[in-house]
Amino acid sequence: MDIDVRGPRFGAAVTTVVLAVVLITGSAWLLAWQTLAFALGAAGGVGRSPYGWLFRRAVRPRLGPPTEFESPEPPRFAQAVGLVFAGVGLIGFALGPSWLGLAATAAALAAAFLNAAFGYCLGCEMYLLARRVTVRAE
């Protein structure tokens, strides 16, 4: 079942704010929260993430009906990619080196910002590229 494209974009906007605050404060706890949000989105799809729940309950009822839909697999893969970067960032902030935490968090922030501001999902594009490569290899 396809999903409303506005949901993942809303999640990316919230993620952008959270990751920006992590970079400003260096808060490993806040990055742990974001890592959990990515994990839930990767495991159950973007609708199962806290931001997906917030979108469904608080934002979508105030919007008109969706006009664009997308397959749920690319955003779910993007959540998994975000999980990897947030996990590496969490290790860097919690155990060191701190530059690793900053670099991984900044990379995740850049990807989230691209999705939130321009609707360009890097993780989704990685998913589609991987699908093309694996189909050709078969």
Side-chain angles (χ1 to χ4, degrees):
M1 175 194 230
D2 288 347
I3 59 173
D4 182 349
V5 297
R6 300 172 298 182
R9 199 159 178 190
F10 171 80
V14 175
T15 299
T16 297
V17 172
V18 170
L19 293 175
V21 172
V22 168
L23 285 177
I24 292 167
T25 65
S27 172
W29 289 107
L30 188 55
L31 187 55
W33 161 256
Q34 183 58 52
T35 304
L36 175 63
F38 279 137
L40 292 170
V46 293
R48 302 272 189 233
S49 75
Y51 309 145
W53 180 86
L54 182 62
F55 176 76
R56 272 193 328 278
R57 299 287 184 199
V59 178
R60 187 170 180 185
R62 290 168 173 75
L63 301 174
T67 58
E68 290 183 66
F69 296 91
E70 68 180 322
S71 173
E73 289 85 11
R76 188 173 182 176
F77 181 82
Q79 291 289 299
V81 172
L83 173 61
V84 170
F85 277 91
V88 170
L90 189 56
I91 291 168
F93 279 118
L95 304 174
S98 60
W99 64 263
L100 181 62
L102 291 170
T105 303
L109 171 63
F113 176 76
L114 282 174
N115 194 357
F118 305 109
Y120 186 81
C121 176
L122 283 174
C124 299
E125 294 299 325
M126 288 173 55
Y127 174 85
L128 296 172
L129 179 63
R131 289 285 308 249
R132 281 188 221 115
V133 168
T134 57
V135 168
R136 286 184 188 158
E138 293 175 351

